[in-house]
Amino acid sequence: MSELELNPRYIEAVTRVVNESPYFALLSMEIKELKWGTSLLEVQLGEKHLQPFGFVHGGAIASVMDAAAFWAAFPQVEKGIGLTTVEIKVNYLAPAQKGKLVALGRCIKMGKTLALGETIIKNGEGGLIAHGTATMMVVPDLRIPGYEDLPPSR
Amino acid sequence: MSELELNPRYIEAVTRVVNESPYFALLSMEIKELKWGTSLLEVQLGEKHLQPFGFVHGGAIASVMDAAAFWAAFPQVEKGIGLTTVEIKVNYLAPAQKGKLVALGRCIKMGKTLALGETIIKNGEGGLIAHGTATMMVVPDLRIPGYEDLPPSR
Amino acid sequence: MSELELNPRYIEAVTRVVNESPYFALLSMEIKELKWGTSLLEVQLGEKHLQPFGFVHGGAIASVMDAAAFWAAFPQVEKGIGLTTVEIKVNYLAPAQKGKLVALGRCIKMGKTLALGETIIKNGEGGLIAHGTATMMVVPDLRIPGYEDLPPSR
Amino acid sequence: MSELELNPRYIEAVTRVVNESPYFALLSMEIKELKWGTSLLEVQLGEKHLQPFGFVHGGAIASVMDAAAFWAAFPQVEKGIGLTTVEIKVNYLAPAQKGKLVALGRCIKMGKTLALGETIIKNGEGGLIAHGTATMMVVPDLRIPGYEDLPPSR
């Protein structure tokens, strides 16, 4: 599929539904921006993200890596069709402790049955924190609750 | 290092410090058992773990995968020396929605500078949910706060 | 699918076709044993496998990792249906220089659309050389040339 | 380390030693270009790269992925210090059959003990074939035979 412009009503609806979903709220994780094939997510870091040694747990970093890759790719599947993550890989490049995580997701390939996304995670000062990839599989009948009929692109 | 028996006081201290740490509490994740080279962790699933489609977020599964591999390996480094996760890989094999996640961690190799751990995650009924690996690096001067002088093995 | 016994004529045919295929011959790589859900492959190491520093190139190790995981899983798809590798992950645990590589493949999960395999690679003395996983996708109409009608199990 | 210009004599020496090494010759794999933090490698595909189904074996693709990431990063370690690959991840995006593989390697991060590289592999027509990453570890006393004293940068 060639590059398209996303439907602003779709972006608004997806952003609201996703940001209000339980796990996003739990981790203070938010979609900040969605474009065709890219995403920008942020995590506001707090005490709750820390492991016993006082650094952000790798699982929190993996969560935003996965989410940024997924939401960069998701708008490229047809209405009514969904994506599910098959596997993820994360490289931890520097520890994080406070401030925020900024995750830039990118869809490397959207195929008929599989997609590959990539995420670069930085801290609030622009320092590289992590890099990762996610393989996703196209699945039928996975819709965003409440927005089943909204076309992703215009 | 050949197989050793872990010090019961060490197990008790590590389990308490880790289970009370912020991210473990946030995710309702707990170490249930630690032995030489293996770990058993559980996550009590609730509404808070769900993504917008109603399934447990892949990031929550990645969190317990990482933690189980890490704590299976950690007791094998010398007192006063620590481990940090370099990269993780998770394969999602079936969706999870409620009940619990049971994660069995295993240390595949503990080397002088790097270690490799593996985790198998099942649901409460024994169904396979995910498989993953974690590469860890030995780092100096990473101690468990409050238990700096406790020897891991006896 | 529950565990089945492989058809000896199928094992013989697959082993011959695969071992005579160009890349297997190029790398001196051979299937030695196939059972339901497991494989045993070997690489006879020689000068040709070495990188500039005098060790076996990681790509040769990745090749046998991929092949062992693939052939452990392949007999579990229906006749006339095939598998293709979607992604691989390899951890290098110790260098290899000569002798042989022994790769033990295992099918962790065979699903309707995806499969996961794992390979442990040792040297001729039983020392651990590498560990890896491969995600495979079920694809229609991929047959072993010359043996299209041979049922894998009996 | 900030970006530097590579020493032309170093590039020439490394390219010759690597391209003449046994595994590179076996796979018809060649370094075509090395710059600070990037590499360009090619594989001339032939019958020998094929698996039993008539496509290029995933192990050949993994080999050039690993090599391109490695040689993009290698010139950034100090003279007399070396790198060794710790783990690789490859996503296969489309099959290849003939012509050539063009691999573009890039060093994402060079740290004090670990480095991360990424490779994008295309076919001769520019079609995306694979994407991968490699984690490397800095090791002392790994020198390019015959060129131990050549400084990488000028």
Side-chain angles (χ1 to χ4, degrees):
Chain A
M1 203 186 283
S2 59
E3 195 158 328
L4 296 175
E5 200 178 336
L6 292 184
N7 176 353
R9 283 187 52 227
Y10 173 88
I11 296 177
E12 190 198 334
V14 166
T15 301
R16 187 170 52 241
V17 169
V18 174
N19 288 350
E20 290 174 358
S21 68
Y23 193 72
F24 270 66
L26 185 72
L27 262 68
S28 302
M29 182 157 80
E30 279 187 71
I31 295 178
K32 290 287 184 181
E33 195 178 287
L34 283 187
K35 289 183 180 166
W36 182 261
T38 67
S39 69
L40 172 62
L41 275 75
E42 287 187 7
V43 177
Q44 293 302 323
L45 294 174
E47 173 82 13
K48 69 181 177 185
H49 297 97
L50 305 183
Q51 28 89 310
F53 303 107
F55 297 102
V56 174
H57 195 282
I61 295 168
S63 298
V64 71
M65 194 298 292
D66 179 359
F70 185 89
W71 292 106
F74 189 82
Q76 295 187 23
V77 294
E78 300 290 323
K79 192 178 59 157
I81 303 291
L83 274 183
T84 187
T85 304
V86 166
E87 61 87 28
I88 62 164
K89 166 74 161 72
V90 189
N91 273 74
Y92 299 106
L93 302 173
Q97 282 187 293
K98 57 186 181 180
K100 61 178 177 178
L101 298 177
V102 180
L104 295 143
R106 183 170 75 86
C107 182
I108 292 179
K109 177 171 179 183
M110 173 59 65
K112 263 177 261 171
T113 49
L114 292 173
L116 178 66
E118 178 189 45
T119 301
I120 292 166
I121 299 176
K122 299 185 173 182
N123 59 24
E125 290 72 46
L128 199 51
I129 298 295
H131 176 274
T133 57
T135 304
M136 294 155 275
M137 183 171 61
V138 176
V139 289
D141 284 320
L142 187 75
R143 292 138 198 272
I144 301 173
Y147 296 90
E148 292 81 356
D149 294 327
L150 207 52
S153 54
R154 58 176 182 185
Chain B
M1 204 186 284
S2 60
E3 195 158 327
L4 297 175
E5 199 178 337
L6 292 185
N7 176 352
R9 285 187 52 226
Y10 174 87
I11 296 177
E12 189 198 333
V14 165
T15 301
R16 187 169 53 243
V17 169
V18 173
N19 288 350
E20 289 174 357
S21 68
Y23 193 71
F24 270 66
L26 185 73
L27 263 66
S28 302
M29 182 158 78
E30 280 187 71
I31 295 179
K32 290 287 184 182
E33 196 178 285
L34 284 187
K35 288 183 182 165
W36 183 261
T38 67
S39 69
L40 172 62
L41 277 73
E42 287 188 7
V43 178
Q44 292 302 322
L45 295 174
E47 174 83 12
K48 70 182 176 183
H49 297 98
L50 305 182
Q51 30 88 310
F53 303 108
F55 298 101
V56 174
H57 195 282
I61 294 167
S63 298
V64 72
M65 194 298 293
D66 179 359
F70 185 88
W71 292 106
F74 189 82
Q76 295 187 24
V77 293
E78 300 290 324
K79 189 179 63 155
I81 302 291
L83 275 182
T84 186
T85 305
V86 166
E87 61 87 28
I88 63 165
K89 165 74 162 73
V90 190
N91 273 74
Y92 299 106
L93 302 174
Q97 281 186 293
K98 57 185 180 181
K100 61 180 177 176
L101 298 177
V102 180
L104 295 143
R106 185 171 72 89
C107 182
I108 292 179
K109 177 171 180 182
M110 172 60 63
K112 263 177 261 171
T113 50
L114 292 173
L116 178 65
E118 179 189 44
T119 302
I120 292 166
I121 299 176
K122 300 185 172 183
N123 59 24
E125 290 72 44
L128 200 50
I129 298 295
H131 176 273
T133 57
T135 303
M136 293 155 276
M137 183 172 59
V138 176
V139 289
D141 283 320
L142 186 75
R143 292 139 198 270
I144 302 173
Y147 298 90
E148 291 82 355
D149 294 327
L150 207 53
S153 54
R154 57 176 183 185
Chain C
M1 203 186 285
S2 58
E3 195 157 327
L4 296 175
E5 201 178 335
L6 293 184
N7 176 353
R9 285 188 51 227
Y10 173 87
I11 296 177
E12 190 197 334
V14 166
T15 301
R16 187 169 54 241
V17 169
V18 174
N19 288 350
E20 290 174 356
S21 67
Y23 193 72
F24 270 66
L26 184 72
L27 262 66
S28 302
M29 183 157 78
E30 278 188 72
I31 295 179
K32 290 287 183 180
E33 196 179 286
L34 282 186
K35 289 185 180 164
W36 182 261
T38 67
S39 69
L40 172 62
L41 277 73
E42 288 188 6
V43 177
Q44 292 302 323
L45 295 174
E47 173 83 13
K48 69 182 177 184
H49 297 98
L50 305 182
Q51 29 88 309
F53 303 106
F55 297 101
V56 173
H57 195 283
I61 294 168
S63 298
V64 73
M65 194 298 294
D66 179 0
F70 185 89
W71 292 106
F74 189 82
Q76 295 187 23
V77 296
E78 301 289 324
K79 189 178 63 157
I81 303 291
L83 275 182
T84 186
T85 304
V86 166
E87 61 87 28
I88 63 164
K89 165 74 160 73
V90 189
N91 273 75
Y92 299 106
L93 303 173
Q97 282 187 293
K98 59 185 179 182
K100 62 180 176 177
L101 297 177
V102 180
L104 294 143
R106 184 171 73 88
C107 181
I108 292 180
K109 177 171 179 183
M110 173 58 66
K112 264 178 259 170
T113 50
L114 293 172
L116 178 65
E118 179 188 44
T119 301
I120 291 166
I121 300 175
K122 299 185 172 183
N123 59 25
E125 289 74 44
L128 199 52
I129 298 295
H131 176 272
T133 57
T135 303
M136 295 155 274
M137 183 171 60
V138 176
V139 289
D141 283 320
L142 186 76
R143 292 138 197 271
I144 301 173
Y147 296 90
E148 292 82 355
D149 294 327
L150 206 52
S153 53
R154 57 174 181 184
Chain D
M1 203 187 284
S2 59
E3 195 157 328
L4 297 174
E5 200 178 336
L6 292 184
N7 176 354
R9 284 187 52 228
Y10 173 87
I11 296 177
E12 190 198 334
V14 166
T15 300
R16 185 169 56 241
V17 169
V18 174
N19 288 349
E20 289 174 358
S21 67
Y23 194 71
F24 269 67
L26 185 72
L27 263 67
S28 302
M29 182 158 78
E30 278 187 71
I31 295 178
K32 289 289 184 181
E33 196 179 286
L34 283 186
K35 289 184 179 165
W36 182 261
T38 67
S39 69
L40 171 62
L41 277 73
E42 287 188 7
V43 177
Q44 293 302 323
L45 295 174
E47 172 83 13
K48 69 181 177 184
H49 296 97
L50 305 183
Q51 30 87 309
F53 304 107
F55 298 101
V56 174
H57 196 282
I61 294 168
S63 298
V64 71
M65 194 299 292
D66 180 0
F70 185 89
W71 293 105
F74 189 83
Q76 295 187 22
V77 293
E78 301 290 324
K79 189 178 61 157
I81 302 291
L83 273 183
T84 185
T85 303
V86 166
E87 61 86 29
I88 63 164
K89 166 75 161 73
V90 189
N91 273 75
Y92 298 106
L93 302 173
Q97 282 188 294
K98 57 186 179 178
K100 62 179 176 178
L101 297 177
V102 180
L104 295 142
R106 183 170 75 87
C107 182
I108 291 179
K109 175 168 180 185
M110 173 57 65
K112 264 177 261 171
T113 49
L114 292 172
L116 178 66
E118 179 189 43
T119 301
I120 291 166
I121 300 175
K122 301 184 172 184
N123 60 24
E125 289 73 44
L128 198 52
I129 298 296
H131 175 274
T133 57
T135 303
M136 294 155 275
M137 183 171 59
V138 176
V139 288
D141 284 320
L142 188 74
R143 292 138 197 272
I144 302 174
Y147 296 91
E148 291 82 355
D149 294 327
L150 206 51
S153 53
R154 59 174 184 185

